[in-house]
Amino acid sequence: MDESRASRPSTGWTVAWLGGAVVLAAVVFAPLMTVGFCADSSIPGRSYCTSSQRSVVGIDTSFWIWLGATAAFGIIAWIASHAFWRPRRVSAEE
């Protein structure tokens, strides 16, 4: 068995970690809902309305936050896939 190949995780292992990170970032930070609020006032010029985007879990977010979180989670997942990978032990019969 090639020594350099044994010291790296398989592509499938890394893809699984990256896929999990992207799904987690999408659930927590993807802007899927737009919510708004209006406050009416009897004083002229004091009424206002606001709107924001929220994720599935209710966190105020935006496209840029989602994009940054996906990149950060991807980097962390890549590091974790290599840090927690344990090479398969080769038995004496192989």
Side-chain angles (χ1 to χ4, degrees), residues 24-48:
L24 180 64
V27 168
V28 176
F29 292 108
L32 298 178
M33 298 176 275
T34 301
V35 295
F37 170 78
C38 286
D40 292 329
S41 174
S42 59
I43 303 170
R46 300 285 284 193
S47 298
Y48 68 94

Side-chain angles (χ1 to χ4, degrees), residues 33-63:
M33 298 176 275
T34 301
V35 295
F37 170 78
C38 286
D40 292 329
S41 174
S42 59
I43 303 170
R46 300 285 284 193
S47 298
Y48 68 94
C49 292
T50 63
S51 66
S52 64
Q53 295 177 322
R54 290 209 174 141
S55 68
V56 172
V57 295
I59 297 172
D60 285 346
T61 188
S62 70
F63 172 77

Side-chain angles (χ1 to χ4, degrees), residues 2-93:
D2 183 16
E3 186 63 33
S4 65
R5 180 85 175 130
S7 64
R8 295 184 310 200
S10 67
T11 302
W13 177 257
T14 302
V15 168
W17 275 85
L18 290 173
V22 168
V23 168
L24 180 64
V27 168
V28 176
F29 292 108
L32 298 178
M33 298 176 275
T34 301
V35 295
F37 170 78
C38 286
D40 292 329
S41 174
S42 59
I43 303 170
R46 300 285 284 193
S47 298
Y48 68 94
C49 292
T50 63
S51 66
S52 64
Q53 295 177 322
R54 290 209 174 141
S55 68
V56 172
V57 295
I59 297 172
D60 285 346
T61 188
S62 70
F63 172 77
W64 297 109
I65 292 172
W66 176 36
L67 189 64
T70 301
F73 283 22
I75 291 167
I76 292 168
W78 187 85
I79 292 168
S81 73
H82 287 72
F84 295 123
W85 181 76
R86 300 289 181 254
R88 187 173 68 98
R89 290 186 179 166
V90 179
S91 64
E93 292 97 36

